Amino acid sequence: MHVSTPASSAQAPWLIVGLGNPGPEYARNRHNVGFMVVDLLAERMGGRFKRAAKAQAQVVEGRIGPPGPGSRRVVLAKPMSYMNLSGGPVGALRDFYKVPPVNIVAVHDELDIDYGALRLKLGGGDNGHNGLKSLTKAVGRDYHRVRFGIGRPPGRMPVADFVLKDFSAAERKELDYLVDRAADAVECLLTEGLERAQSAYNS
């Protein structure tokens, strides 16, 4: 699916939102992989998260991409509400930075994709993900998603318990590489467009 970017969107910043829960007790949970990806993007940009002036969130402002016209102005964000209330902070950031929905990218965990696989798309439903549900209510459906597969819970483990557990020891062996790849996918989406990013990273 090719989506043209309106001229106004081309001039606006991108808002890259990592979904997760605040607090050290959640930091390495499966549900917090979105935070992990935007943390790495901030590190690559040489930026440090700070409290947003107009939203319950932490933000880093900077640029992604090669110097010159190919670079993109970005705001990396971590909502400091809990996951199921993510839409409020993101809506406030959208208004403050004047970001159209098509320039919003949500990075989040996805149960229905195998561990470590990525899927990028524009728009769609929330698939039962409370963070996406809140986000869609606040900004509409027409934002980009970078979906990081975490797989389904083993046996009869409730989904809520599974997503709020840390990655397993076996998963952690690959986690840094997979988070790095997800950050690459976000950069590719911004600089080369959705179709190129899907071709390179969807698995």
Side-chain angles (χ1 to χ4, degrees):
M1 177 177 67
H2 178 72
V3 179
S4 59
T5 303
S8 59
S9 301
Q11 304 306 316
W14 286 79
L15 178 58
I16 315 300
V17 181
L19 293 183
N21 287 307
E25 67 271 34
Y26 299 107
R28 304 305 290 174
N29 288 179
R30 293 181 176 92
H31 225 15
N32 271 46
V33 73
F35 274 19
M36 297 175 200
V37 174
V38 295
D39 280 340
L40 179 56
L41 288 167
E43 187 180 312
R44 291 180 179 184
M45 284 170 25
R48 297 184 63 142
F49 280 96
K50 61 183 180 182
R51 186 175 297 279
K54 301 291 185 180
Q56 188 183 358
Q58 291 185 352
V59 296
V60 175
E61 298 181 42
R63 301 192 80 86
I64 282 177
S71 75
R72 300 287 181 263
R73 187 158 65 98
V74 300
V75 179
L76 305 176
K78 296 191 292 186
M80 291 290 107
S81 61
Y82 285 93
M83 174 72 84
N84 60 357
L85 300 173
S86 300
V90 175
L93 291 170
R94 172 205 59 192
D95 294 345
F96 180 72
Y97 289 103
K98 299 179 171 55
V99 180
V102 74
N103 279 30
I104 298 174
V105 181
V107 186
H108 64 92
D109 59 305
E110 179 59 62
L111 286 160
D112 287 335
I113 302 174
D114 289 342
Y115 173 63
L118 295 176
R119 302 276 171 78
L120 286 77
K121 69 174 187 174
L122 175 63
D126 57 60
N127 201 26
H129 192 292
N130 288 331
L132 293 182
K133 193 176 297 183
S134 178
L135 197 54
T136 297
K137 187 175 179 181
V139 304
R141 295 163 53 121
D142 298 328
Y143 56 91
H144 288 86
R145 299 103 188 274
V146 175
R147 306 157 74 202
F148 186 110
I150 61 170
R152 302 294 302 186
R156 298 184 178 183
M157 181 186 291
V159 165
D161 291 346
F162 179 68
V163 299
L164 293 177
K165 285 187 181 299
D166 290 359
F167 287 99
S168 70
E171 289 169 336
R172 286 197 296 272
K173 291 178 181 177
E174 292 185 280
L175 184 59
D176 286 348
Y177 163 75
L178 296 170
V179 168
D180 192 72
R181 187 169 182 268
D184 290 346
V186 173
E187 293 182 348
C188 183
L189 170 63
L190 268 59
T191 59
E192 300 187 47
L194 178 61
E195 287 185 0
R196 289 288 296 273
Q198 287 174 323
S199 177
Y201 292 98
N202 274 16
S203 53

mmCIF file of all heavy atoms in Angstrom, residues 111-159:
data_model
loop_
_atom_site.group_PDB
_atom_site.id
_atom_site.type_symbol
_atom_site.label_atom_id
_atom_site.label_comp_id
_atom_site.label_asym_id
_atom_site.label_seq_id
_atom_site.Cartn_x
_atom_site.Cartn_y
_atom_site.Cartn_z
ATOM 1 N N LEU A 111 1.482 -9.535 20.580
ATOM 2 C CA LEU A 111 1.329 -10.938 20.964
ATOM 3 C C LEU A 111 1.217 -11.878 19.773
ATOM 4 O O LEU A 111 1.680 -13.023 19.833
ATOM 5 C CB LEU A 111 0.072 -11.105 21.830
ATOM 6 C CG LEU A 111 0.131 -10.603 23.270
ATOM 7 C CD1 LEU A 111 -1.279 -10.399 23.800
ATOM 8 C CD2 LEU A 111 0.892 -11.583 24.147
ATOM 9 N N ASP A 112 0.584 -11.435 18.695
ATOM 10 C CA ASP A 112 0.265 -12.334 17.585
ATOM 11 C C ASP A 112 1.380 -12.434 16.550
ATOM 12 O O ASP A 112 1.150 -12.883 15.424
ATOM 13 C CB ASP A 112 -1.037 -11.893 16.914
ATOM 14 C CG ASP A 112 -2.251 -12.208 17.783
ATOM 15 O OD1 ASP A 112 -2.147 -13.130 18.614
ATOM 16 O OD2 ASP A 112 -3.277 -11.534 17.637
ATOM 17 N N ILE A 113 2.588 -12.012 16.923
ATOM 18 C CA ILE A 113 3.764 -12.141 16.062
ATOM 19 C C ILE A 113 4.830 -12.886 16.855
ATOM 20 O O ILE A 113 4.990 -12.659 18.057
ATOM 21 C CB ILE A 113 4.277 -10.752 15.615
ATOM 22 C CG1 ILE A 113 3.172 -9.983 14.864
ATOM 23 C CG2 ILE A 113 5.498 -10.884 14.730
ATOM 24 C CD1 ILE A 113 3.556 -8.558 14.515
ATOM 25 N N ASP A 114 5.551 -13.772 16.187
ATOM 26 C CA ASP A 114 6.596 -14.545 16.864
ATOM 27 C C ASP A 114 7.638 -13.619 17.483
ATOM 28 O O ASP A 114 7.903 -12.525 16.970
ATOM 29 C CB ASP A 114 7.281 -15.487 15.878
ATOM 30 C CG ASP A 114 6.382 -16.640 15.449
ATOM 31 O OD1 ASP A 114 5.387 -16.908 16.156
ATOM 32 O OD2 ASP A 114 6.676 -17.260 14.406
ATOM 33 N N TYR A 115 8.261 -14.099 18.540
ATOM 34 C CA TYR A 115 9.252 -13.299 19.250
ATOM 35 C C TYR A 115 10.325 -12.756 18.297
ATOM 36 O O TYR A 115 10.940 -13.509 17.528
ATOM 37 C CB TYR A 115 9.926 -14.110 20.344
ATOM 38 C CG TYR A 115 11.075 -13.382 20.997
ATOM 39 C CD1 TYR A 115 10.858 -12.196 21.702
ATOM 40 C CD2 TYR A 115 12.385 -13.832 20.876
ATOM 41 C CE1 TYR A 115 11.907 -11.498 22.284
ATOM 42 C CE2 TYR A 115 13.442 -13.147 21.461
ATOM 43 C CZ TYR A 115 13.193 -11.970 22.158
ATOM 44 O OH TYR A 115 14.237 -11.276 22.720
ATOM 45 N N GLY A 116 10.525 -11.451 18.352
ATOM 46 C CA GLY A 116 11.591 -10.805 17.599
ATOM 47 C C GLY A 116 11.242 -10.397 16.191
ATOM 48 O O GLY A 116 11.966 -9.599 15.583
ATOM 49 N N ALA A 117 10.140 -10.926 15.637
ATOM 50 C CA ALA A 117 9.741 -10.518 14.287
ATOM 51 C C ALA A 117 9.141 -9.116 14.330
ATOM 52 O O ALA A 117 8.571 -8.701 15.341
ATOM 53 C CB ALA A 117 8.734 -11.508 13.714
ATOM 54 N N LEU A 118 9.294 -8.391 13.242
ATOM 55 C CA LEU A 118 8.763 -7.030 13.139
ATOM 56 C C LEU A 118 7.717 -6.954 12.048
ATOM 57 O O LEU A 118 7.822 -7.626 11.029
ATOM 58 C CB LEU A 118 9.881 -6.034 12.796
ATOM 59 C CG LEU A 118 10.987 -5.820 13.811
ATOM 60 C CD1 LEU A 118 12.031 -4.864 13.228
ATOM 61 C CD2 LEU A 118 10.442 -5.262 15.121
ATOM 62 N N ARG A 119 6.727 -6.094 12.263
ATOM 63 C CA ARG A 119 5.763 -5.765 11.212
ATOM 64 C C ARG A 119 5.494 -4.271 11.295
ATOM 65 O O ARG A 119 5.142 -3.756 12.362
ATOM 66 C CB ARG A 119 4.436 -6.514 11.405
ATOM 67 C CG ARG A 119 4.541 -8.018 11.429
ATOM 68 C CD ARG A 119 4.547 -8.646 10.048
ATOM 69 N NE ARG A 119 4.853 -10.065 10.133
ATOM 70 C CZ ARG A 119 4.009 -11.017 10.495
ATOM 71 N NH1 ARG A 119 2.771 -10.696 10.831
ATOM 72 N NH2 ARG A 119 4.390 -12.278 10.538
ATOM 73 N N LEU A 120 5.655 -3.593 10.183
ATOM 74 C CA LEU A 120 5.358 -2.164 10.104
ATOM 75 C C LEU A 120 4.092 -1.976 9.300
ATOM 76 O O LEU A 120 3.888 -2.652 8.281
ATOM 77 C CB LEU A 120 6.503 -1.401 9.432
ATOM 78 C CG LEU A 120 7.777 -1.190 10.250
ATOM 79 C CD1 LEU A 120 8.615 -2.460 10.316
ATOM 80 C CD2 LEU A 120 8.613 -0.060 9.667
ATOM 81 N N LYS A 121 3.236 -1.064 9.735
ATOM 82 C CA LYS A 121 2.029 -0.781 8.965
ATOM 83 C C LYS A 121 1.506 0.600 9.316
ATOM 84 O O LYS A 121 1.931 1.226 10.293
ATOM 85 C CB LYS A 121 0.959 -1.842 9.214
ATOM 86 C CG LYS A 121 0.342 -1.837 10.605
ATOM 87 C CD LYS A 121 -0.813 -2.837 10.664
ATOM 88 C CE LYS A 121 -1.572 -2.761 11.972
ATOM 89 N NZ LYS A 121 -2.762 -3.615 11.987
ATOM 90 N N LEU A 122 0.576 1.055 8.493
ATOM 91 C CA LEU A 122 -0.102 2.329 8.716
ATOM 92 C C LEU A 122 -1.564 2.041 8.992
ATOM 93 O O LEU A 122 -2.229 1.349 8.209
ATOM 94 C CB LEU A 122 0.032 3.231 7.491
ATOM 95 C CG LEU A 122 -0.740 4.563 7.527
ATOM 96 C CD1 LEU A 122 -0.256 5.460 8.653
ATOM 97 C CD2 LEU A 122 -0.618 5.278 6.187
ATOM 98 N N GLY A 123 -2.089 2.544 10.107
ATOM 99 C CA GLY A 123 -3.493 2.368 10.436
ATOM 100 C C GLY A 123 -3.794 0.963 10.918
ATOM 101 O O GLY A 123 -2.910 0.132 11.121
ATOM 102 N N GLY A 124 -5.084 0.704 11.124
ATOM 103 C CA GLY A 124 -5.526 -0.607 11.574
ATOM 104 C C GLY A 124 -6.164 -0.560 12.945
ATOM 105 O O GLY A 124 -6.331 0.510 13.542
ATOM 106 N N GLY A 125 -6.509 -1.747 13.451
ATOM 107 C CA GLY A 125 -7.168 -1.850 14.745
ATOM 108 C C GLY A 125 -6.159 -1.925 15.878
ATOM 109 O O GLY A 125 -4.957 -1.763 15.678
ATOM 110 N N ASP A 126 -6.665 -2.215 17.084
ATOM 111 C CA ASP A 126 -5.772 -2.276 18.241
ATOM 112 C C ASP A 126 -5.457 -3.702 18.668
ATOM 113 O O ASP A 126 -4.588 -3.930 19.500
ATOM 114 C CB ASP A 126 -6.364 -1.499 19.419
ATOM 115 C CG ASP A 126 -7.749 -2.004 19.822
ATOM 116 O OD1 ASP A 126 -7.867 -3.193 20.180
ATOM 117 O OD2 ASP A 126 -8.704 -1.210 19.790
ATOM 118 N N ASN A 127 -6.190 -4.693 18.117
ATOM 119 C CA ASN A 127 -5.932 -6.110 18.399
ATOM 120 C C ASN A 127 -5.894 -6.407 19.898
ATOM 121 O O ASN A 127 -5.126 -7.240 20.357
ATOM 122 C CB ASN A 127 -4.622 -6.557 17.726
ATOM 123 C CG ASN A 127 -4.560 -8.063 17.543
ATOM 124 O OD1 ASN A 127 -5.579 -8.729 17.450
ATOM 125 N ND2 ASN A 127 -3.358 -8.605 17.476
ATOM 126 N N GLY A 128 -6.710 -5.682 20.663
ATOM 127 C CA GLY A 128 -6.780 -5.921 22.094
ATOM 128 C C GLY A 128 -5.668 -5.293 22.901
ATOM 129 O O GLY A 128 -5.597 -5.503 24.118
ATOM 130 N N HIS A 129 -4.798 -4.523 22.256
ATOM 131 C CA HIS A 129 -3.674 -3.888 22.953
ATOM 132 C C HIS A 129 -4.170 -2.595 23.601
ATOM 133 O O HIS A 129 -4.592 -1.665 22.918
ATOM 134 C CB HIS A 129 -2.559 -3.589 21.944
ATOM 135 C CG HIS A 129 -1.256 -3.196 22.562
ATOM 136 N ND1 HIS A 129 -1.082 -2.010 23.234
ATOM 137 C CD2 HIS A 129 -0.068 -3.845 22.614
ATOM 138 C CE1 HIS A 129 0.174 -1.937 23.658
ATOM 139 N NE2 HIS A 129 0.810 -3.042 23.292
ATOM 140 N N ASN A 130 -4.127 -2.526 24.929
ATOM 141 C CA ASN A 130 -4.711 -1.381 25.634
ATOM 142 C C ASN A 130 -4.010 -0.065 25.332
ATOM 143 O O ASN A 130 -4.638 0.997 25.321
ATOM 144 C CB ASN A 130 -4.714 -1.637 27.138
ATOM 145 C CG ASN A 130 -5.743 -2.671 27.548
ATOM 146 O OD1 ASN A 130 -6.771 -2.812 26.891
ATOM 147 N ND2 ASN A 130 -5.470 -3.405 28.604
ATOM 148 N N GLY A 131 -2.697 -0.115 25.095
ATOM 149 C CA GLY A 131 -1.986 1.105 24.737
ATOM 150 C C GLY A 131 -2.459 1.654 23.402
ATOM 151 O O GLY A 131 -2.705 2.860 23.261
ATOM 152 N N LEU A 132 -2.614 0.772 22.413
ATOM 153 C CA LEU A 132 -3.099 1.203 21.100
ATOM 154 C C LEU A 132 -4.549 1.667 21.172
ATOM 155 O O LEU A 132 -4.937 2.629 20.496
ATOM 156 C CB LEU A 132 -2.973 0.060 20.087
ATOM 157 C CG LEU A 132 -1.567 -0.393 19.704
ATOM 158 C CD1 LEU A 132 -1.649 -1.495 18.661
ATOM 159 C CD2 LEU A 132 -0.733 0.762 19.185
ATOM 160 N N LYS A 133 -5.332 0.991 21.985
ATOM 161 C CA LYS A 133 -6.740 1.368 22.140
ATOM 162 C C LYS A 133 -6.851 2.814 22.631
ATOM 163 O O LYS A 133 -7.620 3.620 22.102
ATOM 164 C CB LYS A 133 -7.412 0.409 23.127
ATOM 165 C CG LYS A 133 -8.924 0.464 23.153
ATOM 166 C CD LYS A 133 -9.489 -0.607 24.097
ATOM 167 C CE LYS A 133 -9.154 -1.996 23.616
ATOM 168 N NZ LYS A 133 -9.760 -3.047 24.498
ATOM 169 N N SER A 134 -6.055 3.154 23.640
ATOM 170 C CA SER A 134 -6.053 4.509 24.184
ATOM 171 C C SER A 134 -5.514 5.513 23.168
ATOM 172 O O SER A 134 -6.054 6.606 22.998
ATOM 173 C CB SER A 134 -5.203 4.534 25.456
ATOM 174 O OG SER A 134 -5.133 5.828 26.004
ATOM 175 N N LEU A 135 -4.468 5.109 22.454
ATOM 176 C CA LEU A 135 -3.861 5.986 21.450
ATOM 177 C C LEU A 135 -4.839 6.285 20.318
ATOM 178 O O LEU A 135 -4.996 7.438 19.895
ATOM 179 C CB LEU A 135 -2.606 5.303 20.914
ATOM 180 C CG LEU A 135 -1.580 6.122 20.155
ATOM 181 C CD1 LEU A 135 -1.143 7.324 20.949
ATOM 182 C CD2 LEU A 135 -0.378 5.242 19.812
ATOM 183 N N THR A 136 -5.505 5.249 19.839
ATOM 184 C CA THR A 136 -6.461 5.420 18.738
ATOM 185 C C THR A 136 -7.624 6.316 19.159
ATOM 186 O O THR A 136 -8.098 7.145 18.376
ATOM 187 C CB THR A 136 -6.970 4.043 18.270
ATOM 188 O OG1 THR A 136 -5.857 3.303 17.754
ATOM 189 C CG2 THR A 136 -8.034 4.180 17.200
ATOM 190 N N LYS A 137 -8.069 6.158 20.388
ATOM 191 C CA LYS A 137 -9.153 7.014 20.886
ATOM 192 C C LYS A 137 -8.734 8.479 20.887
ATOM 193 O O LYS A 137 -9.544 9.379 20.618
ATOM 194 C CB LYS A 137 -9.545 6.570 22.298
ATOM 195 C CG LYS A 137 -10.770 7.273 22.849
ATOM 196 C CD LYS A 137 -11.169 6.693 24.192
ATOM 197 C CE LYS A 137 -12.394 7.409 24.758
ATOM 198 N NZ LYS A 137 -12.780 6.862 26.074
ATOM 199 N N ALA A 138 -7.454 8.734 21.144
ATOM 200 C CA ALA A 138 -6.962 10.113 21.252
ATOM 201 C C ALA A 138 -6.614 10.738 19.906
ATOM 202 O O ALA A 138 -6.853 11.932 19.694
ATOM 203 C CB ALA A 138 -5.735 10.152 22.163
ATOM 204 N N VAL A 139 -6.038 9.955 18.986
ATOM 205 C CA VAL A 139 -5.506 10.561 17.751
ATOM 206 C C VAL A 139 -6.089 9.959 16.473
ATOM 207 O O VAL A 139 -5.708 10.371 15.379
ATOM 208 C CB VAL A 139 -3.954 10.475 17.708
ATOM 209 C CG1 VAL A 139 -3.342 11.119 18.940
ATOM 210 C CG2 VAL A 139 -3.462 9.041 17.539
ATOM 211 N N GLY A 140 -7.007 9.002 16.588
ATOM 212 C CA GLY A 140 -7.520 8.344 15.392
ATOM 213 C C GLY A 140 -6.665 7.139 15.026
ATOM 214 O O GLY A 140 -5.682 6.828 15.696
ATOM 215 N N ARG A 141 -7.036 6.454 13.943
ATOM 216 C CA ARG A 141 -6.364 5.197 13.576
ATOM 217 C C ARG A 141 -5.191 5.377 12.631
ATOM 218 O O ARG A 141 -4.389 4.458 12.437
ATOM 219 C CB ARG A 141 -7.380 4.270 12.887
ATOM 220 C CG ARG A 141 -8.508 3.824 13.764
ATOM 221 C CD ARG A 141 -9.671 3.267 12.949
ATOM 222 N NE ARG A 141 -9.258 2.215 12.027
ATOM 223 C CZ ARG A 141 -9.731 0.978 12.049
ATOM 224 N NH1 ARG A 141 -10.625 0.636 12.956
ATOM 225 N NH2 ARG A 141 -9.333 0.084 11.182
ATOM 226 N N ASP A 142 -5.073 6.548 12.013
ATOM 227 C CA ASP A 142 -4.161 6.701 10.880
ATOM 228 C C ASP A 142 -2.741 7.076 11.290
ATOM 229 O O ASP A 142 -2.156 8.044 10.795
ATOM 230 C CB ASP A 142 -4.722 7.726 9.894
ATOM 231 C CG ASP A 142 -6.049 7.280 9.315
ATOM 232 O OD1 ASP A 142 -6.250 6.064 9.149
ATOM 233 O OD2 ASP A 142 -6.893 8.154 9.031
ATOM 234 N N TYR A 143 -2.167 6.302 12.200
ATOM 235 C CA TYR A 143 -0.767 6.489 12.583
ATOM 236 C C TYR A 143 0.001 5.214 12.240
ATOM 237 O O TYR A 143 -0.577 4.138 12.047
ATOM 238 C CB TYR A 143 -0.644 6.832 14.072
ATOM 239 C CG TYR A 143 -1.267 5.843 15.021
ATOM 240 C CD1 TYR A 143 -0.540 4.775 15.542
ATOM 241 C CD2 TYR A 143 -2.604 5.968 15.412
ATOM 242 C CE1 TYR A 143 -1.114 3.859 16.408
ATOM 243 C CE2 TYR A 143 -3.194 5.062 16.281
ATOM 244 C CZ TYR A 143 -2.438 4.008 16.776
ATOM 245 O OH TYR A 143 -3.019 3.097 17.628
ATOM 246 N N HIS A 144 1.324 5.333 12.137
ATOM 247 C CA HIS A 144 2.164 4.185 11.829
ATOM 248 C C HIS A 144 2.392 3.347 13.083
ATOM 249 O O HIS A 144 2.399 3.872 14.194
ATOM 250 C CB HIS A 144 3.518 4.639 11.285
ATOM 251 C CG HIS A 144 3.461 5.205 9.894
ATOM 252 N ND1 HIS A 144 3.180 6.530 9.637
ATOM 253 C CD2 HIS A 144 3.652 4.621 8.680
ATOM 254 C CE1 HIS A 144 3.203 6.736 8.334
ATOM 255 N NE2 HIS A 144 3.487 5.603 7.733
ATOM 256 N N ARG A 145 2.597 2.057 12.858
ATOM 257 C CA ARG A 145 2.908 1.151 13.964
ATOM 258 C C ARG A 145 4.153 0.345 13.608
ATOM 259 O O ARG A 145 4.280 -0.133 12.475
ATOM 260 C CB ARG A 145 1.758 0.164 14.237
ATOM 261 C CG ARG A 145 0.437 0.874 14.641
ATOM 262 C CD ARG A 145 -0.533 0.885 13.467
ATOM 263 N NE ARG A 145 -1.727 1.688 13.711
ATOM 264 C CZ ARG A 145 -2.819 1.250 14.320
ATOM 265 N NH1 ARG A 145 -2.834 0.031 14.790
ATOM 266 N NH2 ARG A 145 -3.853 2.036 14.470
ATOM 267 N N VAL A 146 5.054 0.214 14.549
ATOM 268 C CA VAL A 146 6.175 -0.722 14.453
ATOM 269 C C VAL A 146 5.904 -1.775 15.520
ATOM 270 O O VAL A 146 6.031 -1.519 16.717
ATOM 271 C CB VAL A 146 7.527 -0.022 14.665
ATOM 272 C CG1 VAL A 146 8.662 -1.047 14.678
ATOM 273 C CG2 VAL A 146 7.766 1.025 13.571
ATOM 274 N N ARG A 147 5.501 -2.938 15.075
ATOM 275 C CA ARG A 147 5.022 -3.998 15.963
ATOM 276 C C ARG A 147 6.160 -4.991 16.214
ATOM 277 O O ARG A 147 6.674 -5.606 15.278
ATOM 278 C CB ARG A 147 3.830 -4.697 15.323
ATOM 279 C CG ARG A 147 2.715 -3.734 14.930
ATOM 280 C CD ARG A 147 1.822 -4.294 13.837
ATOM 281 N NE ARG A 147 0.941 -5.332 14.320
ATOM 282 C CZ ARG A 147 0.389 -6.254 13.536
ATOM 283 N NH1 ARG A 147 0.668 -6.288 12.223
ATOM 284 N NH2 ARG A 147 -0.416 -7.161 14.055
ATOM 285 N N PHE A 148 6.521 -5.140 17.474
ATOM 286 C CA PHE A 148 7.631 -6.005 17.882
ATOM 287 C C PHE A 148 7.032 -7.279 18.460
ATOM 288 O O PHE A 148 6.380 -7.245 19.503
ATOM 289 C CB PHE A 148 8.476 -5.263 18.928
ATOM 290 C CG PHE A 148 9.743 -5.961 19.336
ATOM 291 C CD1 PHE A 148 10.976 -5.460 18.961
ATOM 292 C CD2 PHE A 148 9.710 -7.103 20.139
ATOM 293 C CE1 PHE A 148 12.154 -6.091 19.367
ATOM 294 C CE2 PHE A 148 10.870 -7.743 20.539
ATOM 295 C CZ PHE A 148 12.108 -7.229 20.144
ATOM 296 N N GLY A 149 7.270 -8.396 17.809
ATOM 297 C CA GLY A 149 6.658 -9.645 18.250
ATOM 298 C C GLY A 149 7.191 -10.139 19.579
ATOM 299 O O GLY A 149 8.407 -10.160 19.796
ATOM 300 N N ILE A 150 6.274 -10.520 20.458
ATOM 301 C CA ILE A 150 6.676 -11.153 21.723
ATOM 302 C C ILE A 150 6.106 -12.568 21.840
ATOM 303 O O ILE A 150 6.406 -13.282 22.796
ATOM 304 C CB ILE A 150 6.261 -10.308 22.949
ATOM 305 C CG1 ILE A 150 4.746 -10.122 23.028
ATOM 306 C CG2 ILE A 150 6.976 -8.965 22.939
ATOM 307 C CD1 ILE A 150 4.257 -9.508 24.346
ATOM 308 N N GLY A 151 5.301 -13.000 20.857
ATOM 309 C CA GLY A 151 4.722 -14.335 20.899
ATOM 310 C C GLY A 151 3.593 -14.447 21.909
ATOM 311 O O GLY A 151 3.297 -13.503 22.641
ATOM 312 N N ARG A 152 2.974 -15.621 21.933
ATOM 313 C CA ARG A 152 1.860 -15.865 22.845
ATOM 314 C C ARG A 152 2.374 -16.456 24.161
ATOM 315 O O ARG A 152 3.419 -17.098 24.188
ATOM 316 C CB ARG A 152 0.864 -16.845 22.225
ATOM 317 C CG ARG A 152 0.269 -16.425 20.902
ATOM 318 C CD ARG A 152 -0.605 -15.207 20.986
ATOM 319 N NE ARG A 152 -1.721 -15.350 21.910
ATOM 320 C CZ ARG A 152 -2.685 -14.437 22.054
ATOM 321 N NH1 ARG A 152 -2.657 -13.316 21.337
ATOM 322 N NH2 ARG A 152 -3.666 -14.615 22.924
ATOM 323 N N PRO A 153 1.609 -16.285 25.254
ATOM 324 C CA PRO A 153 2.033 -16.873 26.527
ATOM 325 C C PRO A 153 2.016 -18.395 26.471
ATOM 326 O O PRO A 153 1.194 -18.985 25.766
ATOM 327 C CB PRO A 153 1.007 -16.344 27.531
ATOM 328 C CG PRO A 153 -0.122 -15.818 26.732
ATOM 329 C CD PRO A 153 0.395 -15.486 25.377
ATOM 330 N N PRO A 154 2.924 -19.034 27.221
ATOM 331 C CA PRO A 154 2.952 -20.498 27.234
ATOM 332 C C PRO A 154 1.784 -21.061 28.035
ATOM 333 O O PRO A 154 1.323 -20.455 29.005
ATOM 334 C CB PRO A 154 4.286 -20.816 27.921
ATOM 335 C CG PRO A 154 4.541 -19.625 28.801
ATOM 336 C CD PRO A 154 3.968 -18.442 28.064
ATOM 337 N N GLY A 155 1.329 -22.240 27.617
ATOM 338 C CA GLY A 155 0.293 -22.943 28.381
ATOM 339 C C GLY A 155 -0.939 -22.087 28.593
ATOM 340 O O GLY A 155 -1.479 -21.489 27.672
ATOM 341 N N ARG A 156 -1.364 -22.014 29.853
ATOM 342 C CA ARG A 156 -2.568 -21.254 30.186
ATOM 343 C C ARG A 156 -2.238 -19.951 30.913
ATOM 344 O O ARG A 156 -3.103 -19.387 31.588
ATOM 345 C CB ARG A 156 -3.496 -22.112 31.048
ATOM 346 C CG ARG A 156 -3.977 -23.367 30.334
ATOM 347 C CD ARG A 156 -4.974 -24.132 31.180
ATOM 348 N NE ARG A 156 -5.490 -25.307 30.492
ATOM 349 C CZ ARG A 156 -6.408 -26.118 30.988
ATOM 350 N NH1 ARG A 156 -6.888 -25.893 32.204
ATOM 351 N NH2 ARG A 156 -6.839 -27.160 30.301
ATOM 352 N N MET A 157 -1.011 -19.486 30.794
ATOM 353 C CA MET A 157 -0.645 -18.245 31.468
ATOM 354 C C MET A 157 -1.506 -17.098 30.942
ATOM 355 O O MET A 157 -1.621 -16.904 29.728
ATOM 356 C CB MET A 157 0.831 -17.900 31.230
ATOM 357 C CG MET A 157 1.273 -16.611 31.926
ATOM 358 S SD MET A 157 2.966 -16.095 31.503
ATOM 359 C CE MET A 157 3.904 -17.378 32.312
ATOM 360 N N PRO A 158 -2.140 -16.327 31.823
ATOM 361 C CA PRO A 158 -2.940 -15.184 31.362
ATOM 362 C C PRO A 158 -2.069 -14.172 30.617
ATOM 363 O O PRO A 158 -0.907 -13.943 30.978
ATOM 364 C CB PRO A 158 -3.484 -14.583 32.665
ATOM 365 C CG PRO A 158 -3.401 -15.687 33.663
ATOM 366 C CD PRO A 158 -2.204 -16.503 33.286
ATOM 367 N N VAL A 159 -2.647 -13.564 29.600
ATOM 368 C CA VAL A 159 -1.922 -12.580 28.795
ATOM 369 C C VAL A 159 -1.375 -11.457 29.670
ATOM 370 O O VAL A 159 -0.226 -11.017 29.513
ATOM 371 C CB VAL A 159 -2.838 -12.024 27.684
ATOM 372 C CG1 VAL A 159 -2.249 -10.754 27.073
ATOM 373 C CG2 VAL A 159 -3.052 -13.082 26.605
#
